[in-house]
Amino acid sequence: MSKNQVSQDQLKQAAAQAALDYVLKHLEDDSYLGIGTGSTANCFIDLLAQHKGYIKGTVASSEASAQRLRDHGINVLELNNTGGVQIYVDGADEVNPALELIKGGGGALTREKIIAAAADDFVCIADQSKWVDHLGEFAVPVEVIPMARSYVAREIFKLGGEAVYRQGVVTDNGNVILDVQRLHPIAAPKALEEKLNNITGVVTNGLFALRPADLMLLSTPEGVKTLKPSH
Ligand code: 5RP
């Protein structure tokens, strides 16, 4: 297979391997590891299994990831019982050069944001298809208390977005998700993140701009690039 024919799955696998190398080098013996959600995070979990003896414990951003970790015999703890995580590894739906992200395609945005907030070092892993100059082609997920769904959708309309109800999805927290379209290009991600959070009934939203990633491991056919935020 030539460089041009490297599959997206292979790129995800390479990003996960780079994250594993990073974690094995930097994670301290007495520290905890945060684990994200999605297909790229799953690649990371499967690789981590071979090194579980070195990991004191993990905190997962979803029930699905927690179950996958336990199936591998990896210790999973409540965030409340850890005092915070040293490194958090997770994927993304979009990443810009400031390492601001859109996340939540898998519906786990709230727990992802909590672990990112509680982490010293947020390492994002993704294949190159997630890299964008400006966020917003991917609809921004918003987790909403169920009774507020229509009200929140109307408030989002006033901000210029179109909220689409993710039918049939209930989050691990018992809430619903609105996917907000027509926001591209998001000129001021931090301001929009705050505005969305300020709508009553919103639990959180999938813009990760106030707390962006610290490091990006971006997988390309030429290799995995290690990127820091451009300011
Ligand atoms: C889940 C997420 C994921 O990180 C995001 O959807 C990317 O997933 P994948 O690695 O499968 O492309 O935010 O809520």
Side-chain angles (χ1 to χ4, degrees):
M1 197 178 266
S2 76
K3 276 184 184 175
N4 295 335
Q5 293 170 307
V6 178
S7 72
Q8 196 176 22
D9 283 350
Q10 287 172 310
L11 293 177
K12 288 179 184 185
Q13 196 66 31
Q17 181 62 55
L20 178 70
D21 295 344
Y22 182 89
V23 164
L24 293 178
K25 187 169 175 194
H26 294 283
L27 186 71
E28 290 160 15
D29 292 345
D30 60 349
S31 294
Y32 296 102
L33 179 61
I35 309 275
T37 297
S39 55
T40 318
N42 282 346
C43 294
F44 176 71
I45 292 171
D46 295 347
L47 289 173
L48 188 69
Q50 296 152 29
H51 303 270
K52 60 188 173 196
Y54 298 100
I55 309 295
K56 182 178 180 192
T58 62
V59 176
S61 70
S62 63
E63 298 298 339
S65 290
Q67 190 56 52
R68 196 177 187 99
L69 287 158
R70 286 193 202 99
D71 288 347
H72 281 303
I74 298 171
N75 189 23
V76 183
L77 295 99
E78 292 288 329
L79 181 63
N80 289 322
N81 296 334
T82 62
V85 303
Q86 184 198 338
I87 302 174
Y88 176 43
V89 177
D90 198 0
D93 298 302
E94 281 188 351
V95 189
N96 73 11
L99 305 192
E100 297 167 331
L101 317 171
I102 293 178
K103 289 185 50 53
L109 58 154
T110 297
R111 295 187 187 197
E112 290 170 343
K113 201 173 261 196
I114 292 168
I115 301 178
D120 299 331
D121 190 11
F122 178 9
V123 178
C124 185
I125 51 175
D127 67 85
Q128 62 179 6
S129 69
K130 310 295 182 66
W131 187 256
V132 297
D133 287 332
H134 300 284
L135 299 173
E137 287 275 13
F138 193 94
V140 176
V142 179
E143 181 164 350
V144 177
I145 302 288
M147 71 169 286
R149 174 167 57 92
S150 297
Y151 167 72
V152 171
R154 292 194 296 277
E155 291 301 301
I156 285 172
F157 186 71
K158 293 178 192 166
L159 296 177
E162 183 188 337
V164 177
Y165 177 33
R166 204 182 288 184
Q167 296 275 355
V169 171
V170 177
T171 71
D172 286 347
N173 314 307
N175 298 314
V176 297
I177 292 185
L178 298 173
D179 290 302
V180 184
Q181 302 173 345
R182 299 186 190 277
L183 294 173
H184 184 266
I186 298 175
K190 290 185 182 68
L192 182 59
E193 183 177 351
E194 282 177 342
K195 281 181 192 163
L196 289 170
N197 280 342
N198 282 342
I199 301 172
T200 302
V202 167
V203 178
T204 194
N205 71 83
L207 277 170
F208 284 56
L210 297 165
R211 200 289 183 238
D214 298 302
L215 190 74
M216 178 77 217
L217 299 172
L218 187 71
S219 192
T220 78
E222 289 73 40
V224 178
K225 294 181 186 170
T226 301
L227 305 171
K228 295 269 191 177
S230 69
H231 294 289

